[in-house]
Structure formats: C-alpha cells, structure tokens
Amino acid sequence: MMKVHFVLHETFEVPGAYLKWAQERGHQVTTTKVYENEALPETVDEIDFLIVMGGPQSPDEDRENFPYYDPKSELAFMKEAIAADIYIVGVCLGAQLLSVAYGAKYEHSPEREIGVYPISLTEAGLKDEHVKVLGSTLNTGHWHGDMPGLTEDAVVLATSQGCPRQIIRFSSKHYAFQAHLEFDSEAVNFLIAADGEEVLEEQSQNLTFVQNTQDIRAYDYREMNAKLFAFLDSLTK
C-alpha cells in the first residue's frame, strides 16, 4: 500500500481515473483542496506518490482571479517532493507546475486543444518502460492552452498534432501529462459546465482542435483509463 496525495485546484477538475486507480489498488488517499483554501501538507515525509491535477490557472501568480491559488507554495512543495524522489505525476496545470519546479519555463501551446484527439509516442516514448504500455498512438482527453517547459534533461515521450509536449519525463519517477487520460463522463461534464456549452460550441467552429460538446460527451473513455492504469501500475511496481 502506498500513500497517494492529490492536489486539486478546482471542483470541476476531478482526478477521475487517477483516483479510481489509487482506490482500486488499495492505496491510502489524501487530498489538498486548493479551492477550499486547504493548506498543503507540511512535509512530503508521509507521501509516496504526489499527483498534482489541473485547473484554469497558469503556473504564475494570479491572486485576482484565483485568490486561493498560491503557486509559490505549490512549487516549493513540489521541489521538496522532487528532492525526496517520491513518485510524481503532474496533469495539465500540474504538468506545467512540475516543469517550473524543475527550473523550466512553461509556454503557451501552439493550439488550444479541447476534446479527444490522438497522441503519438516519440521514439523515446516507445522505449520508456512505463509509457510504452500506452501503445504507439492513443486517443486521449485534452483541455488546455498551455504546455510544460523543458529542461536540458527532460525527454518528450508523446506529442499531438496540436501540442508538441503531451508527455514529458523529467526523471525516472517524475512524469508530466499535458493530456488527460483520467477523463470519464463525469469529468468532461464538469468541464463543459465550467467553460460554458455555448463558448465551447463557438470555439469548436473556429478552432482546429476543439471538439463539439456532443462528441466529447459521447466518447467512451474506458480505453484511455485502462491505459492510464497500466502506466501507473508499471511506474509503481
């Protein structure tokens, strides 16, 4: 049994299949709900696996729009987790924060991606002993406009047509996922409600990689969830 800690930034950015995996494997789960002004744990000593989820924020300070969001303390906490060499997965905003904790600068993605689009593993991804379980291409969820930065040692393991940095390995235990393999019908319904159906419909007509909400709702997310379980099992075995 491991102690898995989630950092959650918003009610509508749910951990989905990451949480289901932790529960089904019998791990002990704790959470910090940033949106409820909960404080991060004082130390990473009691944590074996840190999973930092997404949100509409960027890794920069934005007290005006998100008064509860303190990236400086999150980055300090993640740096402590990096130094302790516990498992870390950063998802979306969490992926960008992980890159900044490693000393990189996050960037805007060339394209905004919302919906389900394929990612393709790079040569390095096909050789990565944990990521290769995803297969050479996989349809995954997306909901972003930014992407992680790269350090000298970072390795890009997967790309998509709209974003060149979908999965990045910063070290053998530290992975950044810009893609959302955790999505399920509950998760996408929360996100659609948060962004607004009409806004998304308009974007889907004007932006190459924004899908219409009907297709996002209709998609069967079980395959990507199963592949995420396989990755997490491989990482922590």
Side-chain angles (χ1 to χ4, degrees), residues 6-76:
F6 286 90
V7 177
L8 306 177
H9 295 101
E10 299 290 349
T11 52
F12 54 82
E13 289 264 0
V14 295
Y18 284 103
L19 179 59
K20 284 182 190 147
W21 171 81
Q23 290 168 333
E24 285 186 24
R25 297 297 182 260
H27 299 316
Q28 187 182 321
V29 173
T30 53
T31 55
T32 298
K33 293 174 181 167
V34 173
Y35 54 88
E36 287 184 3
N37 284 303
E38 289 182 358
L40 290 159
E42 285 179 20
T43 165
V44 298
D45 292 352
E46 292 293 297
I47 300 171
D48 302 309
F49 192 166
L50 174 64
I51 300 177
V52 183
M53 295 304 300
Q57 300 88 350
S58 292
D60 304 327
E61 195 84 54
D62 188 353
R63 288 293 196 182
E64 197 178 330
N65 293 312
F66 310 104
Y68 46 84
Y69 173 58
D70 179 12
K72 289 190 185 74
S73 65
E74 285 194 39
L75 289 165

Side-chain angles (χ1 to χ4, degrees), residues 127-164:
K127 289 178 185 156
D128 182 277
E129 67 176 298
H130 311 309
V131 165
K132 70 183 181 188
V133 301
L134 301 179
S136 57
T137 64
L138 176 68
N139 281 330
T140 67
H142 303 273
W143 214 280
H144 72 105
D146 292 332
M147 63 182 184
L150 297 178
T151 59
E152 227 170 83
D153 299 326
V155 182
V156 177
L157 304 176
T159 64
S160 69
Q161 270 191 291
C163 177

Side-chain angles (χ1 to χ4, degrees), residues 181-197:
L181 282 75
E182 80 281 4
F183 276 0
D184 53 23
S185 56
E186 180 194 48
V188 296
N189 275 317
F190 279 137
L191 286 163
I192 290 167
D195 275 15
E197 192 108 24

Side-chain angles (χ1 to χ4, degrees), residues 25 39 85 122 131 154 165 171 181 190 209:
R25 297 297 182 260
D85 205 28
T122 61
V131 165
R165 300 174 195 166
S171 81
L181 282 75
F190 279 137
F209 298 104

